[in-house]
Amino acid sequence: IGTNLVIARSPFATSTVTFRAVGVAAPVVSMTILSGNNQTGSVGQQLPEPFVIKVVDSYDNPVPRVPFLFEILEGGGILSFFTGETETPGLMQTTLRLGNLPGINRIRATTQFLPDRELIFTATGVPVVATNILLNSGNNQTGIPGQPIQPFTVRVVGPNNIPIENAPVTFNVTGGGGSLSATQVNTDSTGHASTVLTLGLQPGINTVTASSGSLIGSPVTFNALATNSGLAPTDRKSTRLNSSH
């Protein structure tokens, strides 16, 4: 495929004659899966490699500008491209973000140039395993004894910081008394779990732990200070200074 040149010369002449011919691809005869088939990845995440198709003619030359349609047959998910054309090397590709449930994902690729043929890509989604529990928000608050403060929130994640849903988290009061709105909480779709502490009746430090099995970072410790004014010591000092002016 491309430009072909033939130059004619004669020993009896100083000029030359150039013949030019352009070779184009023959009709499409073959489409094959070049790479990306049979991958395994975490549910809801993008596969590491794209699905790649190669199209050639009867002389094994790549054929550009061949339109393709990709369809999700099973497993859900999202494709980076549902339609497109082969490029100059005869290649077309798309990338799959796996569905949210474990199991098989199947993608079909078709082209009007070969209406009686199709290519099927298969990928397997596996559950994401929780690895870490992280302190998200609510630490180091100050409040009035016997009163609730803002929620203590942790986040459970897997590899690459993927949020883990329905991970069990146990909250416990470990110092200062007080009570929790919930002690057994499952993480939501963003990996978060929360509880609200009502501070103990006496001024001082209150501590709460959040644990989830043997995850890295477990247990997470939250601290809160109960003061009669509801202000931290530095806040009270600042208030006195301001009132003296």
Side-chain angles (χ1 to χ4, degrees):
I1 297 175
T3 300
N4 296 261
L5 297 177
V6 176
I7 300 174
R9 295 185 177 88
S10 171
F12 302 103
T14 57
S15 62
T16 61
V17 177
T18 300
F19 297 90
R20 183 188 303 270
V22 178
V24 297
V28 176
V29 296
S30 174
M31 62 179 188
T32 58
I33 293 176
L34 182 64
S35 63
N37 199 23
N38 296 320
Q39 296 182 69
T40 298
S42 299
V43 294
Q45 301 301 304
Q46 183 172 295
L47 290 173
E49 301 294 333
F51 297 151
V52 184
I53 294 169
K54 184 175 183 179
V55 178
V56 298
D57 63 15
S58 55
Y59 299 99
D60 205 32
N61 294 311
V63 184
R65 297 184 298 278
V66 176
F68 271 90
L69 172 66
F70 291 91
E71 300 172 90
I72 297 175
L73 301 180
E74 182 181 356
I78 300 174
L79 291 167
S80 58
F81 296 101
F82 285 88
T83 60
E85 293 184 343
T86 54
E87 299 178 350
T88 301
L91 304 180
M92 170 63 190
Q93 69 179 43
T94 188
T95 303
L96 174 67
R97 181 178 294 276
L98 292 165
N100 292 325
L101 297 176
I104 299 298
N105 292 243
R106 292 196 308 131
I107 308 299
R108 176 169 61 198
T110 56
T111 176
Q112 63 194 43
F113 282 42
L114 296 170
D116 59 338
R117 302 185 195 178
E118 63 180 28
L119 298 175
I120 302 295
F121 289 90
T122 300
T124 302
V126 297
V128 181
V129 178
T131 57
N132 297 68
I133 183 170
L134 310 171
L135 193 158
N136 187 78
S137 62
N139 195 28
N140 294 325
Q141 297 181 65
T142 301
I144 297 173
Q147 297 298 309
I149 57 176
Q150 294 300 308
F152 292 151
T153 303
V154 295
R155 188 167 187 251
V156 176
V157 299
N160 300 316
N161 212 36
I162 298 171
I164 304 297
E165 187 175 6
N166 290 325
V169 177
T170 300
F171 292 94
N172 285 308
V173 175
T174 55
S179 61
L180 296 169
S181 61
T183 57
Q184 303 291 327
V185 183
N186 285 348
T187 55
D188 61 18
S189 60
T190 63
H192 293 99
S194 300
T195 192
V196 173
L197 171 68
T198 296
L199 294 167
L201 298 178
Q202 300 300 318
I205 298 294
N206 290 243
T207 57
V208 172
T209 60
S211 57
S212 185
S214 59
L215 298 184
I216 297 171
S218 180
V220 171
T221 299
F222 293 91
N223 293 303
L225 176 64
T227 66
N228 289 327
S229 66
L231 298 175
T234 54
D235 294 334
R236 293 202 304 272
K237 181 178 179 181
S238 175
T239 301
R240 289 196 300 271
L241 289 173
N242 290 334
S243 62
S244 65
H245 291 288

